């Protein structure tokens, strides 16, 4: 099926386009929407497009100013089956604009430019893929990124989703560029990887969900005090992490810059022997931290106990304030700088 220099518009009725190519060579796309063609819904009518490629092509491809959607509350559902190494759904430049409903990419995507305009609708990517340019989601009903642990979606130029909630399952990646999210829900198992880009998240709901944040030389900030996370793996430069729960890990962490962890009335438990951490600023009721190399305690506040152990040297460069016991263990030197001090919380003693 091919739409060229043409358009289909619905208000209340549904539009369904299904195409399958029988071609045996390259370019045997299932559905082609090209040369300024559009399939649009201006009311409650839904749009469904599903293409199946022949020997080598995209399932659905939109090119040269073409697209699907426009205003309206009718759901848009795009699907495809690519072949010969081609993505299921592809476009060069696509603009999404709706007043309600959902806009769903059911299968793998390959796109250059994606513009998501303001509106009370949701966008869903349910099978991964790659987008080249930076994307900012301005829609207020949020974004669903993945529906299986195996899904991998890459926003090479970076991605921002703060206008509405974001739900993630699987792997969300950038290519050395920033990943900025507002309120975020994690499902099943999640990996965020940026190859040096910064990661900034708003309030995160992810109890019992394993989360890996692999930012390389990028900074990571999860600073909302309502955060509830599962076991973490983190690679970053600077790290700011706040939880309304215990801070725990499932594998070793690596940070090079200031590492600020806050769990207030909960615990910080980082006992993987291969941890390599930057200067530590820790606040929790109970703290257990282990490092494979030199450790620096810059600022520590604890309620019940502090247990810090390192296979290297241990440097205390700021205040250690607590109500009960502190145990510091190092295989190398134990050094207190001129700015270091031991202090007891009000009503307790320093022994």
């Amino acid at each position: 099926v091919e739409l060229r220099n043409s358009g289909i518009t619905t208000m209340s009725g549904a539009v369904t386009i299904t195409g399958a190519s029988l071609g045996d060579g390259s370019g045997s796309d299932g559905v082609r929407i090209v040369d300024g063609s559009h399939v649009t819904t201006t009311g409650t009518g839904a749009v469904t497009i599903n293409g199946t490629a022949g020997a080598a092509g995209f399932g659905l491809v939109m090119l040269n100013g073409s697209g699907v959607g426009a205003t309206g509350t009718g759901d848009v559902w795009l699907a495809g089956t690519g072949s010969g190494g081609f993505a299921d759904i592809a476009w060069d430049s696509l603009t999404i604009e709706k007043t309600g409903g959902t806009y769903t990419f059911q299968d793998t995507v390959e796109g250059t430019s994606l513009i998501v305009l303001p509106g009370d609708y949701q966008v869903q990517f349910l099978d991964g893929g790659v987008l080249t340019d930076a994307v900012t989601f301005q829609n207020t009903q949020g974004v669903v990124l993945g529906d299986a642990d195996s899904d991998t979606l890459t926003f090479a130029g970076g991605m921002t989703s703060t206008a509405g909630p974001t739900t993630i399952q699987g792997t969300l990646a950038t290519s050395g560029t920033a990943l900025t999210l507002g309120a975020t829900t994690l499902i099943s198992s999640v990996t965020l990887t940026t190859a040096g880009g910064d990661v900034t998240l708003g309030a995160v709901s992810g109890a019992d969900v394993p989360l890996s944040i692999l930012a390389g030389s990028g900074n990571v900030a999860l600073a909302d005090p309502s955060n509830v996370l599962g076991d973490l793996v983190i690679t970053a430069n600077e790290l700011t992490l706040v939880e309304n729960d215990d801070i725990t890990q499932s594998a070793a962490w690596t940070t090079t810059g200031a590492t600020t962890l806050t769990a207030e009335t909960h615990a910080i438990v980082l006992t993987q022997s291969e941890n390599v951490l930057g200067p530590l600023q820790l606040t929790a009721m109970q703290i257990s931290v282990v490092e494979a190399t030199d450790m620096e305690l810059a600022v520590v506040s604890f309620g019940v106990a502090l247990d810090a152990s390192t296979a290297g040297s241990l440097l205390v460069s700021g205040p250690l304030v607590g109500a009960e016991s502190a145990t510091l263990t190092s295989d190398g030197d134990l050094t207190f700088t001129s700015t270091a001090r031991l202090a007891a919380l009000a009503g307790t003693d320093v022994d």
Side-chain angles (χ1 to χ4, degrees):
V1 175
E2 180 174 278
L3 295 181
R4 183 183 296 273
N5 292 316
S6 59
I8 299 174
T9 300
T10 180
M11 179 173 288
S12 58
V15 173
T16 300
I17 299 174
T18 302
S21 172
L22 301 178
D24 58 5
S26 180
S28 52
D29 307 316
V31 174
R32 293 174 55 83
I33 302 175
V34 298
D35 295 342
S37 298
H38 285 82
V39 181
T40 62
T41 172
T42 59
T44 59
V47 173
T48 299
I49 302 178
N50 191 357
T52 301
F58 301 109
L60 165 63
V61 61
M62 297 168 281
L63 301 172
N64 310 124
S66 301
V68 176
T71 59
T73 60
D75 294 336
V76 174
W77 187 80
L78 306 182
T81 303
S83 62
F86 290 86
D88 298 326
I89 305 166
W91 64 86
D92 51 6
S93 179
L94 178 63
T95 297
I96 300 176
E97 178 184 10
K98 287 176 59 59
T99 55
T102 60
Y103 197 111
T104 301
F105 299 94
Q106 182 65 40
D107 299 303
T108 59
V109 299
E110 180 183 307
T112 300
S113 172
L114 178 64
I115 298 172
V116 183
L117 295 176
D120 191 32
Y121 62 96
Q122 185 182 75
V123 178
Q124 302 179 348
F125 291 86
L126 301 184
D127 197 21
V130 178
L131 289 85
T132 303
D133 294 347
V135 178
T136 297
F137 290 93
Q138 302 179 73
N139 55 306
T140 56
Q141 287 300 310
V143 187
V144 176
L145 305 173
D147 65 351
D149 292 353
S150 58
D151 290 344
T152 298
L153 182 61
T154 300
F155 293 86
M159 195 270 270
T160 299
S161 174
T162 57
T166 301
T167 300
I168 307 171
Q169 182 176 357
T171 297
L172 178 60
T174 71
S175 300
T177 49
L179 177 62
T180 304
L181 308 178
T184 302
T185 298
L186 309 179
I187 304 295
S188 185
S189 180
V190 174
T191 297
L192 308 178
T193 178
T194 63
D198 293 344
V199 177
T200 305
L201 274 63
V204 181
S205 175
D208 301 321
V209 177
L211 172 62
S212 296
I213 304 177
L214 310 178
S217 60
N219 299 324
V220 172
L222 288 78
D224 193 286
S226 67
N227 288 336
V228 177
L229 305 169
D231 291 338
L232 294 160
V233 178
I234 297 176
T235 301
N237 178 29
E238 295 183 359
L239 170 63
T240 300
L241 173 61
V242 181
E243 272 206 63
N244 187 28
D245 197 4
D246 295 346
I247 294 176
T248 58
Q249 60 182 164
S250 59
W253 294 11
T254 299
T255 63
T256 53
T259 302
T260 304
L261 309 178
T262 303
E264 292 293 350
T265 59
H266 300 278
I268 296 172
V269 184
L270 304 180
T271 53
Q272 294 283 335
S273 61
E274 298 303 312
N275 287 331
V276 177
L277 305 172
L280 294 166
Q281 302 178 41
L282 309 175
T283 302
M285 184 60 63
Q286 185 164 334
I287 300 172
S288 298
V289 59
V290 175
E291 280 201 58
T293 57
D294 296 345
M295 176 187 293
E296 179 179 350
L297 299 177
V299 179
V300 178
S301 176
F302 61 96
V304 176
L306 166 66
D307 188 350
S309 176
T310 175
S313 297
L314 197 159
L315 174 67
V316 180
S317 60
L320 304 185
V321 181
E324 295 190 21
S325 65
T327 303
L328 308 180
T329 306
S330 69
D331 290 348
D333 297 333
L334 175 58
T335 304
F336 289 80
T337 69
S338 60
T339 56
R341 64 185 177 90
L342 299 178
L345 295 173
T348 60
D349 298 321
V350 177
D351 296 325

